[in-house]
Every structure is written in C-alpha cells, then in structure tokens.
C-alpha cells in the first residue's frame, strides 16, 4: 500500500472513531464511548475537569453520560487531521449541539494513536467550549 493510500485509510479510520463518538454520545452509551480510549488516555472536559487514565475517564463517563439531559442532538465533524507521526494524529473536531431553544459549540482536539492492530484510539484530548464572542 503506498503512503497516500495508507494515509487515506488512516483518515477514514479516524473519521470512523469520531463518528462513533457522536453515535455513543447521542445514545448515552458509556461503554461504547469508553472502547475508543487508549488505557493511558487523558481527557480534559469542556469545563476544565482533567481525567488521567482510563479508570478516571470511565468513572466520570459512567456517572455523567447516562444521566445527561438534553433536548436536541450533537454532531461531530472532523475539520482537520495532522499526522505528527505515521501512528500519531492531531484531530480537530467541530462539535455542535443543536436544540430548538439554544445551541452551543465545542472545538475538541483529539490526539489519537494507532495501535499495533491498526485501530486508532483517543489518547490525549481537550474539549473546549466555544463562546459566542470567540466564534
């Protein structure tokens, strides 16, 4: 497989992970969401809560996601992929919460790593809320 073909396949796999983030968030599927993380991942929420390691991410997700209450839906769109190495990618995502009464936007950055089995996992992640004046 040539480099362009391999990179295209990796971008497609990364987009599939982001699509799974969207699907699991909408379904409030904590376990499906947690399958996307590297065991040594770190996650910073949009409100600044820092979670280090899969155990901390899992405890937070299992407590918060199933109980989340919203009246709209959220979409996630990959807007940029930058390969830092062939097995490490910085992925900029546009996260939009759509509601009849209000909406909000997030600008997550996912640093993803490719595993030996070819899967891409979330490894170092920062979710940033976009404020209207910054948009």
């Amino acid at each position: 497989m040539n480099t362009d073909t391999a990179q295209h396949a990796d971008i497609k796999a990364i987009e599939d992970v982001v699509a799974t983030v969207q699907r699991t968030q909408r379904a409030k599927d904590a376990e499906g969401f947690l399958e996307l993380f590297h065991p040594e991942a770190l996650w910073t929420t949009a409100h600044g809560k820092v979670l280090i390691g899969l155990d901390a991410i899992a405890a937070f997700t299992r407590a918060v996601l199933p109980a989340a209450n919203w009246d709209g839906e959220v979409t996630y769109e990959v807007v940029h992929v930058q390969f830092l190495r062939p097995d490490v990618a910085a992925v900029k995502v546009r996260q939009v919460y759509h509601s009849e009464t209000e909406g909000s936007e997030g600008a997550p950055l996912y640093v993803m790593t490719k595993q030996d089995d070819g899967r891409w996992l979330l490894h170092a992640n920062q979710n940033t809320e976009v404020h209207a004046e910054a948009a």
Side-chain angles (χ1 to χ4, degrees), residues 36-130:
L36 303 173
F37 285 87
H38 187 277
E40 297 174 2
L42 66 95
W43 182 270
T44 303
T45 70
H47 298 104
K49 183 168 185 67
V50 178
L51 306 166
I52 299 173
L54 186 55
D55 289 344
I57 296 166
F60 177 82
T61 299
R62 289 176 180 138
V64 173
L65 186 57
N69 188 16
W70 56 77
D71 61 355
E73 67 180 25
V74 64
T75 58
Y76 292 77
E77 174 190 6
V78 173
V79 294
H80 183 74
V81 176
Q82 183 170 331
F83 288 94
L84 307 176
R85 295 187 338 202
D87 62 341
V88 179
V91 182
K92 198 64 189 159
V93 175
R94 182 171 185 247
Q95 172 191 27
V96 180
Y97 173 68
H98 307 272
S99 168
E100 288 187 27
T101 57
E102 64 181 287
S104 63
E105 187 171 333
L109 174 64
Y110 301 157
V111 177
M112 299 176 68
T113 54
K114 187 175 185 179
Q115 307 309 295
D116 291 339
D117 64 4
R119 291 180 308 138
W120 283 90
L121 295 177
L122 300 168
H123 206 125
N125 313 280
Q126 171 79 40
N127 194 358
T128 303
E129 185 177 357
V130 175

